[in-house]
Amino acid sequence: MTNKAFDPGQSIADMDDEQLPIPPHKLHGWGRFAGLYAAEHVAATEFVIGATFVALGAGIWDILIGLLIGNTLAILSFWLITAPIAVDTRLSLYTYLNRIAGDSMSRLYNVANVLIFGVISAAMITVSATAVRALFDIPPQVHPYPTSVLFVIVAIAVAVIVVLVAVFGFNAVTEFASICAPWLMVMFIVGGMVLLPALSEFITGYTTLTSFSDFVQIAGATVWTGLNAEGKPGIGMLEVAGFAWAANTFSHFGLIDMALLRYAKKKSYGLATSTGMMFGHYVAWISAGLMGAATAAMTKSSIMVVDPGEVAFYALGASGFVIVVVAGWTTANANLYRAGLAAQAVFPDVPRTKVTLLVGLAVVVASAFPFIYQSMLPLLTYAGLILVPVGGIVFAEHHIFPRIGFTRYWARFKGLQYSVPAIGTWAVSLVFGFGLGALNIIPFYYLFLPTWFVSIAAYIVLAKKYGAAESYPEGEQAERVFQERVAEFHAQQAATESHEPVNDASILSKVIKAIYIIIGLAVPFVLAWRVLFHSPDIYVYYVNLERFYDVSIWCTVIYFVFAYWDLKRSKALQRAAVRGASEPAV
């Protein structure tokens, strides 16, 4: 199959925006990425993963230090691997891969993306359904398959809403997700805070913590004990760090997040991922583990059978329903949208809305099966293992080829109908990675690392055999001319499209922000602080806890109403500025 998606000779104006680099006037600053990663990685999965570490028997120091190491390695991977290629090319992985490997490889890769992101979407929907099922007194779904017809109905209802929004209203979802991040962070933190006294009373007979050593003692005795659900020694620091690093391998080593970081002004903005890694994958995982263990103790059940909805309800009251539904909903929509885009690349003649709807139907069915969300750790790890070799191929072509005298974009310059080196490398790498996993030589969390190196080596060897070491002066000259044409086109765009962001400094805007920050975020935190540090006995603890439950739900309502109002005002002002008009804010 000839690569028809990219033709450097065609008119730049006729090319799809996705085929072109991001122009300089559309780049974003550090704050945009800090907020974006915080919103994406403080999600409903944190309830599942946090509880899973407890069930697998991690120790307290394994968690505190192992998660710190693993998430730091993830941040460095975004910074040193993903961001440089994204900023150098200003292209998404899908576009860059198409340019170096052609349509055949791109379609195979997109099929894998459809499956992976579809399954992740289904898992998020099931997590949201666990919150809704508590409202209807549906029993917990502890088996891999659904045991309640009513739960199936709830899951399908939630899934249908997610699918319809992903098909028709993704802009609204992204806007809504942008205001969720601060609230989600605060709720995850306070959820752990308000249940710590219950764990303390269970171990020491006292509800008040006086120092960090008290926290370590209580958490080590009740939550991260070093023993798994079967009473045997559990996973250690090496495994904890490995999973934290591997959880997002498809995004950093696999280069999926080139799609986001191509908008970054500097390569250093890869460090902005620290908001997602350290808040979502450190603080939220720890807090979720505390909430899960406390809920299991309060309900006198195993942490293996309590689900996210039940955990959130015991920690946050009515706000818990909101956090599970919102976190699951926003994450599921984003991933289903990605799955729809990947499916459209496989079937380019089918409209995105239609193909997303078809993928969504499969997601609706899958969301009724609890085993999907209950298997999040291996799911995320193996998803990375499948996609990481493609990142290795792109890394080799972009960074290594110019240094060893090979030609970047050689397959397109040579006119290959399909890239045997790329497809062969992916196949060899998958056999190696999964074969290494079957041998149990290293923990499966680390399988992505040797697989990545193998993919780089295999691609270099195969590409040399098929012509990468040859020179293609005419192709390289055509590429330089194309880049010059793109720069001219972007300059023309900037003259008509470029505009500075509008800062709403009005009194009303400041009042709106003050209301949702103070009432929506500060008040719940202060109430949680009182529960944690001002509950001298169990009676006062439950009085403070009930007060927290009663007030926090109203704080939640106020937060979302005023934060969304602020967002709409900001967008109205921005639209007015773009049009050159002086429309009043709504």
Side-chain angles (χ1 to χ4, degrees):
M1 182 182 297
T2 304
N3 182 356
K4 298 179 181 178
F6 175 72
D7 178 8
Q10 74 181 100
S11 171
I12 299 294
D14 293 336
M15 296 180 71
D16 188 275
D17 287 343
E18 281 297 313
Q19 296 174 246
L20 299 174
I22 299 300
H25 68 279
K26 291 185 178 180
L27 302 182
H28 298 294
W30 170 279
R32 179 67 174 267
F33 297 95
L36 184 64
Y37 277 95
E40 183 174 356
H41 294 282
V42 183
T45 46
E46 305 351 319
F47 283 105
V48 181
I49 295 172
T52 303
F53 280 129
V54 179
L56 291 176
I60 178 63
W61 291 111
D62 298 329
I63 288 293
L64 294 179
I65 299 177
L67 287 183
L68 183 63
I69 294 171
N71 283 305
T72 299
L73 289 171
I75 295 167
L76 294 176
S77 299
F78 278 113
W79 174 35
L80 300 175
I81 295 176
T82 316
I85 301 177
V87 171
D88 285 347
T89 65
R90 299 294 179 194
L91 299 172
S92 70
L93 172 65
Y94 310 104
T95 303
Y96 196 21
L97 181 63
N98 189 276
R99 291 190 181 187
I100 69 175
D103 284 348
S104 296
M105 178 66 180
S106 295
R107 290 193 176 185
L108 284 173
Y109 180 73
N110 280 309
V111 168
N113 275 275
V114 171
L115 295 174
I116 289 170
F117 290 125
V119 170
I120 292 175
S121 297
M124 294 300 95
I125 292 168
T126 311
V127 169
S128 292
T130 66
V132 180
R133 69 103 189 147
L135 297 176
F136 296 97
D137 200 27
I138 302 171
Q141 302 297 292
V142 298
H143 297 286
Y145 49 86
T147 56
S148 167
V149 175
L150 191 54
F151 178 80
V152 174
I153 295 173
V154 168
I156 291 176
V158 174
V160 167
I161 294 172
V162 168
V163 170
L164 291 177
V165 173
V167 170
F168 298 110
F170 188 69
N171 286 338
V173 174
T174 55
E175 292 173 4
F176 184 61
S178 69
I179 65 177
C180 290
W183 180 80
L184 286 170
M185 280 191 232
V186 170
M187 288 296 109
F188 266 103
I189 293 171
V190 301
M193 291 171 64
V194 299
L195 292 186
L196 260 177
L199 289 174
S200 177
E201 200 273 339
F202 180 73
I203 293 297
T204 67
Y206 300 99
T207 55
T208 302
L209 281 70
T210 59
S211 64
F212 179 71
S213 61
D214 285 348
F215 166 77
V216 171
Q217 177 189 358
I218 294 165
T222 60
V223 186
W224 300 287
T225 62
L227 299 176
N228 61 25
E230 299 175 352
K232 299 178 181 179
I235 60 173
M237 188 180 299
L238 185 67
E239 289 82 6
V240 172
F243 174 74
W245 192 12
N248 284 103
T249 44
F250 55 83
S251 295
H252 44 74
F253 272 76
L255 300 179
I256 286 289
D257 274 12
M258 281 178 62
L260 301 179
L261 291 169
R262 60 181 169 158
Y263 288 92
K265 290 181 179 179
K266 300 178 182 179
K267 299 173 184 179
S268 61
Y269 289 6
L271 293 171
T273 58
S274 57
T275 58
M277 299 304 103
M278 288 307 176
F279 281 102
H281 294 180
Y282 188 80
V283 173
W285 284 352
I286 290 174
S287 186
L290 287 169
M291 287 188 272
T295 300
M298 293 167 71
T299 58
K300 294 181 172 55
S301 58
S302 168
I303 196 171
M304 298 295 292
V305 301
V306 293
D307 59 36
E310 192 172 8
V311 171
F313 172 73
Y314 273 94
L316 300 166
S319 295
F321 294 126
V322 180
I323 192 173
V324 176
V325 171
V326 167
W329 181 47
T330 54
T331 309
N333 271 288
N335 283 291
L336 181 55
Y337 185 76
R338 288 169 175 165
L341 289 177
Q344 187 188 25
V346 179
F347 304 103
D349 296 330
V350 182
R352 184 198 66 80
T353 54
K354 187 173 182 178
V355 77
T356 302
L357 185 60
L358 293 174
V359 174
L361 292 176
V363 169
V364 168
V365 175
S367 64
F369 292 85
F371 83 89
I372 295 179
Y373 92 82
Q374 293 167 353
S375 306
M376 282 306 297
L377 263 68
L379 171 63
L380 292 175
T381 301
Y382 285 123
L385 186 60
I386 292 171
L387 300 183
V388 155
V390 177
I393 291 169
V394 173
F395 184 90
E397 180 111 8
H398 187 80
H399 284 300
I400 299 178
F401 277 21
R403 289 172 170 79
I404 62 176
F406 287 15
T407 303
R408 190 184 294 169
Y409 302 135
W410 65 276
R412 178 162 55 82
F413 296 159
K414 193 171 182 177
L416 293 182
Q417 292 185 332
Y418 55 88
S419 177
V420 172
I423 297 174
T425 294
W426 198 11
V428 167
S429 301
L430 292 179
V431 171
F432 171 82
F434 284 97
L436 188 63
L439 295 174
N440 290 320
I441 296 175
I442 62 174
F444 78 96
Y445 305 116
Y446 291 97
L447 291 175
F448 76 91
L449 198 56
T451 301
W452 186 69
F453 283 111
V454 166
S455 69
I456 291 174
Y459 186 62
I460 291 173
V461 172
L462 291 174
K464 181 179 181 180
K465 180 180 179 180
Y466 279 82
E470 301 171 14
S471 61
Y472 303 88
E474 292 183 1
E476 292 176 322
Q477 176 60 26
E479 178 66 21
R480 285 191 290 270
V481 171
F482 173 73
Q483 295 298 337
E484 291 173 358
R485 290 167 54 211
V486 169
E488 293 174 359
F489 177 69
H490 284 165
Q492 295 171 1
Q493 275 189 323
T496 57
E497 295 181 1
S498 183
H499 55 271
E500 293 296 322
V502 177
N503 181 27
D504 184 4
S506 66
I507 297 297
L508 178 58
S509 177
K510 293 178 180 178
V511 170
I512 293 172
K513 285 184 171 66
I515 289 174
Y516 72 76
I517 290 174
I518 295 173
I519 298 179
L521 303 178
V523 170
F525 185 82
V526 170
L527 292 173
W529 185 273
R530 285 188 57 81
V531 174
L532 178 58
F533 292 110
H534 297 278
S535 298
D537 56 54
I538 195 67
Y539 173 77
V540 176
Y541 165 68
Y542 278 110
V543 170
N544 288 337
L545 185 62
E546 286 297 326
R547 182 181 297 117
F548 169 78
Y549 287 162
D550 294 340
V551 176
S552 63
I553 183 59
W554 292 109
C555 293
T556 293
V557 172
I558 290 171
Y559 175 83
F560 281 107
V561 169
F562 281 83
Y564 190 70
W565 184 10
D566 184 49
L567 176 67
K568 299 304 288 184
R569 281 176 52 83
S570 177
K571 288 180 66 64
L573 286 173
Q574 196 67 38
R575 287 194 300 268
V578 172
R579 292 193 300 266
S582 56
E583 297 180 1
V586 177

